[in-house]
Amino acid sequence: MAFKGKKKTPEEKMKEIEELTAGMDQQIESYFVSEKAMREHLAFMANFHNYSQRNMVLIDKQFMGAQAVGSFNFWKSKGAAVQKGEKGIKILVPTPVQFFKKNGIDVPVSSASKQERDLIDKKQLETSKKTFFKIGHVFEYTQTNARELNLSVSEIFGKYHRDGSLESSKEMMVALDKVATKLDFTIVDEAPFELGTAKGAAAPNEKIIALNPRNTEFENVSVLIHELAHAKMHTPERAKELSTNEKEFQAEMVSYVVANRYGIDTEDFTLSYLANWTKGSELKDKERLLKEVQSTASEFIDEIDSHFEQVKEKELLQSKADDIAYNLTDQALKVHASHSGQELNHKDPAMFIHGISSEFQPFGEVNNLDFDQYRQERTAYTVAIPQDTGLTLVISSQYEKGEYIHPLHQLDKEQLVDKQTYTTLENGYHDVLLKQDEGYIQSFAARLRTEIYQEKGPAADKKKQNPKTNTVEIER
């Protein structure tokens, strides 16, 4: 589970939330980037091509927030590869073309004849250059596997990403999906537009939240909390009253507080992120902003705690069920031993119904019982299947009344046995059904013979008995 701490009272939870928000707020005020970190970052960024202003605008328009970009060959030279399915970011690549004059017309040198090339080399033909542009493609850092390979980056660049590990990210995502449902928001599998370096986005009007497919599982948790905070607090009406800085401040504070509650450390990222959004800007009515943060964080934590309590309860029930199954098997074997005086030695599969059977009996016979006649709400059984190795395969299971027709039905639907074992059990069951049908036919024939004898007496010679099939044939 993501959280295994002691269950806290609402007062304890709120006190912890208030302490976290106050503590982070103080750290933001004193946050600074050292000269050493800045020099390291500039040196790291110097590895990347210095694109023109026009190309920088083109890059940002296609992949918002892109900073560390390079060509396919650039990333290859760094030992990294572009991830499958990623689309290149288009840029304009300057391509100078050399011309020479031919009959007063500019002709590309590449089209010159051998004689003309000789004249150009001897500078007897005047040349000129013109710059044209062709389309090139580059890729951003997150479009490659550079991060997975742990390629060295600067401290500042590293803080653009949320790194860490989480024991149960899947359960946390399920819990956060419940939070989204409560807010009437849907978490979509694919963003309606390219998110670029943004980790996620919330669209209040469309009531959707999208996560960047390039995120790690760890990132998705804290990012989703951030976007859910936007969804909760920044309704179209409230959003009009706040600046972008204030909205980002609130959303990231909620993400930090909630993540901290479940042992998810995002402090480095959060400090850098909040410092960037609050630097040089005024947060109006900060007390109200923080109160809204605390209230939202508390609401999210209550919903997540509720989910994990359900998970814990389910785990306990499963543990008890496992114990019951083990005890049932042990009990069944003891019952059999007490009746036979020896361990299981059936040549054919046998079954024991707990609370009904007194000993193991042929599987087909027990499986054919009418379980509805018993008042048990749960059918618990143990099947013993002799193996060619001389050992006996023992399977115990149970199911609620009405959930399955009989044990064989459950064994099939839940795939509790392999195909070969299932076929063996099925054949045993079918043999019993065939014997039952044969018995019914014989009983019917006997009744019919009696009725004819009583009606016509011994002289009734229009009926014949077929000794081969043991049935009565009546001439019409």
Side-chain angles (χ1 to χ4, degrees), residues 1 9-10 15 81 90 93-94 100 121 135 147 151 159 161 190 208-209 254 265 275 284 299 306 313 328 349 364 381:
M1 286 178 60
T9 64
K15 183 180 179 181
K90 295 177 182 179
V93 181
F100 72 97
D121 291 340
I135 299 295
R147 187 178 177 192
L151 293 188
K159 288 181 179 179
H161 306 283
E190 190 174 333
I208 62 171
I209 291 174
V254 170
D265 184 9
K284 299 176 182 178
E299 183 177 323
S306 175
E313 184 178 344
L328 290 177
Y381 61 91

Side-chain angles (χ1 to χ4, degrees), residues 219-282:
E219 277 181 321
N220 273 339
V221 171
S222 52
V223 170
L224 183 51
I225 300 171
H226 178 106
E227 299 306 332
L228 286 169
H230 277 307
K232 168 66 179 176
M233 293 187 289
H234 306 139
T235 59
E237 296 75 21
R238 177 61 173 148
K240 292 176 184 177
E241 304 172 4
L242 302 172
S243 66
T244 300
N245 304 62
E246 289 169 329
K247 287 183 283 189
E248 292 303 321
F249 170 79
Q250 284 192 312
E252 187 56 31
M253 283 289 270
V254 170
S255 179
Y256 167 71
V257 171
V258 176
N260 186 277
R261 163 71 174 160
Y262 302 98
I264 307 170
D265 184 9
T266 65
E267 186 169 306
D268 285 347
F269 175 89
T270 297
L271 264 174
S272 175
Y273 187 89
L274 292 178
N276 180 61
W277 278 105
T278 58
K279 185 178 179 181
S281 63
E282 180 185 356

Side-chain angles (χ1 to χ4, degrees), residues 317-470:
L317 288 174
Q318 184 60 51
S319 178
K320 288 181 180 178
D322 291 342
D323 289 342
I324 289 171
Y326 175 81
N327 291 332
L328 290 177
T329 304
D330 186 56
Q331 177 190 351
L333 292 174
K334 287 178 179 177
V335 168
H336 175 78
S338 68
H339 280 78
S340 64
Q342 56 185 341
E343 292 302 319
L344 291 169
N345 60 358
H346 296 282
K347 292 181 180 179
D348 299 312
M351 183 160 61
F352 180 96
I353 303 295
H354 301 277
I356 298 175
S357 302
S358 58
E359 62 180 338
F360 277 91
Q361 294 175 301
F363 176 84
E365 293 180 10
V366 181
N367 192 71
N368 195 39
L369 292 175
D370 180 8
F371 292 96
D372 289 338
Q373 66 178 308
Y374 303 105
R375 294 185 177 181
Q376 293 186 166
E377 291 300 318
R378 181 181 289 272
T379 298
Y381 61 91
T382 296
V383 182
I385 310 164
Q387 305 292 293
D388 294 336
T389 59
L391 300 175
T392 300
L393 173 64
V394 179
I395 300 171
S396 283
S397 190
Q398 54 188 323
Y399 57 87
E400 296 291 340
K401 190 172 184 178
E403 190 174 359
Y404 295 102
I405 302 170
H406 42 55
L408 182 63
H409 187 206
Q410 184 194 21
L411 292 169
D412 176 32
K413 293 300 181 182
E414 296 189 9
Q415 297 182 341
L416 300 180
V417 293
D418 59 43
K419 189 174 182 180
Q420 183 178 352
T421 302
Y422 173 76
T423 301
T424 300
L425 297 176
E426 184 182 40
N427 288 339
Y429 175 50
H430 286 172
D431 287 344
V432 170
L433 293 181
L434 289 173
K435 287 180 181 178
Q436 188 180 52
D437 289 343
E438 185 180 345
Y440 174 78
I441 291 171
Q442 290 179 355
S443 175
F444 176 78
R447 288 200 309 271
L448 190 59
R449 286 197 303 270
T450 301
E451 290 173 2
I452 293 174
Y453 182 85
Q454 290 176 346
E455 180 181 349
K456 297 185 177 181
D461 56 359
K462 288 191 177 182
K463 61 177 176 59
K464 295 182 180 180
Q465 184 171 347
N466 189 329
K468 292 184 180 180
T469 60
N470 197 27

Side-chain angles (χ1 to χ4, degrees), residues 39-285:
R39 286 197 300 270
E40 178 195 22
H41 182 61
L42 292 174
F44 169 71
M45 293 305 294
N47 289 303
F48 300 91
H49 184 75
N50 186 22
Y51 294 98
S52 67
Q53 187 65 37
R54 179 166 56 177
N55 271 334
M56 288 172 65
V57 171
L58 280 174
I59 290 170
D60 192 67
K61 188 175 181 181
Q62 297 169 74
F63 204 93
M64 183 178 60
Q67 293 189 50
V69 296
S71 67
F72 184 90
N73 288 331
F74 167 83
W75 288 113
K76 186 177 180 180
S77 70
K78 299 296 180 182
V82 174
Q83 301 279 24
K84 186 178 180 180
E86 290 289 354
K87 294 181 179 179
I89 304 167
K90 295 177 182 179
I91 60 170
L92 296 174
V93 181
T95 307
V97 180
Q98 194 174 23
F99 293 85
F100 72 97
K101 290 287 186 181
K102 185 176 183 178
N103 299 324
I105 300 173
D106 285 334
V107 178
V109 171
S110 59
S111 300
S113 64
K114 186 177 183 303
Q115 184 181 4
E116 289 169 337
R117 281 183 178 280
D118 289 340
L119 293 174
I120 291 171
D121 291 340
K122 294 175 183 178
K123 299 189 182 301
Q124 292 178 7
L125 273 180
E126 186 179 345
T127 61
S128 60
K129 285 185 179 180
K130 292 182 180 180
T131 301
F132 294 87
F133 291 89
K134 65 179 182 179
I135 299 295
H137 294 87
V138 292
F139 300 88
E140 206 272 337
Y141 174 81
T142 57
Q143 292 181 285
T144 74
N145 65 346
R147 187 178 177 192
E148 295 173 16
L149 296 175
N150 292 318
L151 293 188
S152 179
V153 298
S154 69
E155 179 186 345
I156 293 175
F157 188 82
K159 288 181 179 179
Y160 294 155
H161 306 283
R162 304 168 189 253
D163 287 319
S165 59
L166 184 59
E167 181 184 340
S168 186
S169 58
K170 290 183 179 179
E171 281 299 342
M172 181 60 81
M173 290 297 285
V174 172
L176 293 175
D177 187 59
K178 290 183 177 180
V179 174
T181 300
K182 196 171 181 179
L183 296 173
D184 196 27
F185 268 69
T186 302
I187 303 169
V188 296
D189 294 330
E190 190 174 333
F193 54 87
E194 174 58 65
L195 289 173
T197 59
K199 303 297 181 181
N205 293 326
E206 292 80 7
K207 294 281 187 178
I208 62 171
I209 291 174
L211 298 174
N212 197 317
R214 304 177 186 93
N215 292 348
T216 63
E217 286 188 352
F218 178 86
E219 277 181 321
N220 273 339
V221 171
S222 52
V223 170
L224 183 51
I225 300 171
H226 178 106
E227 299 306 332
L228 286 169
H230 277 307
K232 168 66 179 176
M233 293 187 289
H234 306 139
T235 59
E237 296 75 21
R238 177 61 173 148
K240 292 176 184 177
E241 304 172 4
L242 302 172
S243 66
T244 300
N245 304 62
E246 289 169 329
K247 287 183 283 189
E248 292 303 321
F249 170 79
Q250 284 192 312
E252 187 56 31
M253 283 289 270
V254 170
S255 179
Y256 167 71
V257 171
V258 176
N260 186 277
R261 163 71 174 160
Y262 302 98
I264 307 170
D265 184 9
T266 65
E267 186 169 306
D268 285 347
F269 175 89
T270 297
L271 264 174
S272 175
Y273 187 89
L274 292 178
N276 180 61
W277 278 105
T278 58
K279 185 178 179 181
S281 63
E282 180 185 356
L283 301 181
K284 299 176 182 178
D285 198 358

